[in-house]
Each structure stands twice: as C-alpha cells, then as structure tokens.
Amino acid sequence: MKKTSITLFNFGLLFSLIFGLNLNTDRGLNQYFNNQNLEKGSAFEYNQLADLEESKADEELEELGIELHPGSEFMPGSDGTPRSLNHCKSLVYQTLKSLPEEPVNRLKHLTLYFSDEGRRGLGGGNTVILRCQNVTDEELVAVLVHEMGHVMDTGVMNGSYESGASAYTDGGNRVYLNDASVEYYDISWEREDKLKVGVSKYDFVSGYAMSDPFEDFAESYAYYILHGTEFRTLAEQNETIEEKYEFFKNQVFNGMEYENGREAREVKTGMRHYDVTVLPYDLDKFFIS
C-alpha cells in the first residue's frame, strides 16, 4: 500500500490499536466479477440446513484457533446471506488447510464481509479481512493467499529490537535487521519507497509488486503457490526473479515447490500482469496440493 496515503494510514493505525499489528492493504485493480454462488438471496434461505452448515464452518475455523468477526464490524452495510457466508467460510477453510502451517497458525482474527464496494483484502500481523462479494471463487482464494503472504511477512518473519533498525519502515513500524524478510527486500529495494538503481519491471512477478517491498513479498508469495511453474519459467530468464524464487523456496517454504500454473511454453516471459490474484489457475489442484 502507499504509505503516504492518509486514509490508508489512519485505517492501518486504527487496526494497529485494536489488534496490535501492522496492516498491509491490497488495492488490486478494482475489477469486479459476478459469482452466482455468492449472490445475495432472500431471507428464507436461512433454514435449518444453512444453520447447521454455518455452525460446522465456524467450528472448523475455531479448530484453527481463528476468531471470526462479523462483517458488519468492518462494513456496517455488510449483509451476506447465510448460504453465501457459508460458501465463503468454506473457501477460506479449504485455502487455509492448503497453505503452510506457519502463517495459518499465526492468523487469529478473520473478518468476512459482503459489499459492492471496499477492498478485496487486508492483511498483516495476525489479522485478515476479506470481501466475499463480487469476486469469483478463484479470485477470492488468490486474494486470501496474497493476504496470508502479508501475515507470513509481518506476522511470522519478525526481527528483534536488539538487532537494530533496517532501512525499511512499514506504515510507521520499523523493520529490524534480523527480520528474515529484509534479505528479500534487499534484492530490489533500497528502502520502502525507493527501488535500487537498474531495477526494471521484469524483476517483479507483477506490476503491483513494484508498489513497495511488502507488496513485492505478498505478490511473490501468492505467485509461488498458485503459479509455481510460471515462477520457475520466469526465473530461468531473469536472475533477479531467480533470486526471489530461491528465497521463497529456501527461506519460506523449506524446499517445497508447487506445480500449479501454466506450462513453460505458455508463459510469456516478456510481459508482466499488474495483479497476480486475477490470473487464471487450477483451484481444485491447489486444494489437493
């Protein structure tokens, strides 16, 4: 996110006070998609089956140690139906069960809201806020994976005050020298608002990754998981991308690699999309990985 934005900074500060975290935001492309599974329906849909399904979804998330907050706490007009909320909870649960344990264990606060407006996702520290309306299943899952990248970055990979301050500040919070993420930031960045000399758009997995080091991390995290074969193809053509891939492979995923994504012959190495979370991928393959 833009650290100079007063609106976003104040919003992040508010949640820092509530949850004691630094919250990164996902601006995305503001492209909305219709999803029949998440359409708003009538009140009669709240029947016994929906009630039982909701209880089951809540129990599954509670088993992960996650407190689910009402969407109306974030967006007062949030009014998803029981069926649409259950569907969103199910996607979230399946996503979290398909991700590495470290960031999932760190996640403690989850808000799912329904609105025609608002950011698709906010994440950082131990909190994620997710919009469940006007996104496809695939996009919702991809946005959640991106936000869990922020949780991994700012919630799991933390440094200590004793090590001293690095060149990076995230929304007013200093990143410390022994924070493992600093090694990744240093590949392309001098500080949070300045790229290194000679860095080009081809050194990033997306245009949005060029926003700041924290979005760079989260976009690459999502790309590594949902587009692993494509990430490796780009790494064969670009030394900086290769360095970033190897960081995630060795420092974040402990050697685990993902096969999701297009085949090498289908990857256009001379172009970058703006937003990783709207790229097509195989959702079923991710869920069984």
Side-chain angles (χ1 to χ4, degrees), residues 79-91:
D79 60 352
T81 67
R83 290 186 187 277
S84 59
L85 179 59
N86 292 337
H87 182 71
C88 189
K89 288 178 181 178
S90 176
L91 289 173

Side-chain angles (χ1 to χ4, degrees), residues 5 8 16 18 20 54 64 71 75 99 131 134-135 137 147 149 160 191 208 220 240 270 282:
S5 171
L8 295 183
S16 294
I18 296 174
E54 182 176 351
L64 296 177
M75 185 72 70
L99 290 174
R131 193 186 77 205
N134 289 334
V135 288
D137 289 357
E147 300 309 334
S160 59
R191 57 177 188 262
Y208 188 38
S220 291
T240 300
D282 190 330

Side-chain angles (χ1 to χ4, degrees), residues 11 31 42 49 53 82 91 100 106 109 140 142 150-151 164-165 170 175 198 200 211 222 228 231 235 250 265 271 275:
F11 179 78
Q31 294 180 344
S42 303
L49 178 59
E53 290 174 347
L91 289 173
R106 177 61 179 168
H109 300 280
L140 184 146
H150 284 308
V151 172
D170 185 9
V175 179
S200 79
S211 302
F231 204 157
N250 299 317
R265 59 185 172 79
M271 65 176 295
D275 183 352

Side-chain angles (χ1 to χ4, degrees), residues 12-70:
L13 179 59
L14 172 63
F15 274 82
S16 294
L17 294 174
I18 296 174
F19 296 120
L21 56 87
N22 177 45
L23 202 61
N24 288 280
T25 67
D26 182 11
R27 294 169 297 166
L29 290 175
N30 292 321
Q31 294 180 344
Y32 300 136
F33 298 81
N34 292 323
N35 184 347
Q36 298 302 317
N37 290 327
L38 295 179
E39 279 189 336
K40 180 164 53 175
S42 303
F44 72 84
E45 287 185 343
Y46 199 116
N47 53 29
Q48 185 176 10
L49 178 59
D51 193 10
L52 291 173
E53 290 174 347
E54 182 176 351
S55 298
K56 180 181 178 181
D58 287 339
E59 290 172 1
E60 289 173 335
L61 292 172
E62 286 179 4
E63 288 175 1
L64 296 177
I66 298 170
E67 180 179 357
L68 189 64
H69 298 269

Side-chain angles (χ1 to χ4, degrees), residues 6 21 39 90 97 132 144 157 170 181 185 200 203 209 219 232 243 263 281:
I6 295 177
L21 56 87
E39 279 189 336
S90 176
K97 292 296 289 185
C132 298
L144 177 55
M157 304 177 76
D170 185 9
S181 298
Y185 304 157
S200 79
D203 298 327
E219 284 284 272
R232 289 191 293 276
E243 189 175 356
E263 296 181 7
Y281 66 96

Side-chain angles (χ1 to χ4, degrees), residues 145-159:
V145 174
H146 172 105
E147 300 309 334
M148 291 303 293
H150 284 308
V151 172
M152 183 70 194
D153 182 17
T154 64
V156 177
M157 304 177 76
N158 287 319

Side-chain angles (χ1 to χ4, degrees), residues 55-264:
S55 298
K56 180 181 178 181
D58 287 339
E59 290 172 1
E60 289 173 335
L61 292 172
E62 286 179 4
E63 288 175 1
L64 296 177
I66 298 170
E67 180 179 357
L68 189 64
H69 298 269
S72 56
E73 287 186 0
F74 173 72
M75 185 72 70
S78 177
D79 60 352
T81 67
R83 290 186 187 277
S84 59
L85 179 59
N86 292 337
H87 182 71
C88 189
K89 288 178 181 178
S90 176
L91 289 173
V92 168
Y93 180 74
Q94 292 180 79
T95 301
L96 296 179
K97 292 296 289 185
S98 301
L99 290 174
E101 291 183 355
E102 281 188 299
V104 176
N105 290 339
R106 177 61 179 168
L107 180 62
K108 300 301 178 185
H109 300 280
L110 174 65
T111 300
L112 306 176
Y113 77 99
F114 293 79
S115 174
D116 291 330
E117 300 178 351
R119 304 187 184 283
R120 296 174 305 156
L122 300 162
N126 63 4
T127 296
V128 165
I129 300 171
L130 199 64
R131 193 186 77 205
C132 298
Q133 186 166 301
N134 289 334
V135 288
T136 63
D137 289 357
E138 288 78 9
E139 185 182 3
L140 184 146
V141 169
V143 171
L144 177 55
V145 174
H146 172 105
E147 300 309 334
M148 291 303 293
H150 284 308
V151 172
M152 183 70 194
D153 182 17
T154 64
V156 177
M157 304 177 76
N158 287 319
S160 59
Y161 174 83
E162 293 75 16
S163 68
S166 74
Y168 304 97
T169 302
D170 185 9
N173 295 325
R174 180 64 66 183
V175 179
Y176 297 112
L177 283 171
N178 63 345
D179 185 327
S181 298
V182 171
E183 178 183 342
Y184 179 83
Y185 304 157
D186 283 344
I187 296 173
S188 297
W189 301 86
E190 287 190 14
R191 57 177 188 262
E192 70 276 1
D193 59 350
K194 185 177 182 181
L195 291 166
K196 287 186 173 180
V197 175
V199 170
S200 79
K201 66 179 181 180
Y202 300 110
D203 298 327
F204 299 85
V205 300
S206 70
Y208 188 38
M210 297 183 71
S211 302
D212 59 46
F214 319 108
E215 298 302 344
D216 187 2
F217 188 104
E219 284 284 272
S220 291
Y221 182 90
Y223 200 62
Y224 188 96
I225 294 173
L226 301 177
H227 303 275
T229 57
E230 298 171 53
F231 204 157
R232 289 191 293 276
T233 300
L234 295 183
E236 293 174 358
Q237 306 294 323
N238 182 291
E239 291 182 359
T240 300
I241 294 291
E242 181 182 15
E243 189 175 356
K244 291 181 177 182
Y245 184 89
E246 290 300 316
F247 172 88
F248 276 96
K249 178 181 177 180
N250 299 317
Q251 302 297 325
V252 179
F253 293 98
N254 298 316
M256 181 178 179
E257 297 183 286
Y258 292 81
E259 297 301 324
N260 215 336
R262 293 172 295 178
E263 296 181 7

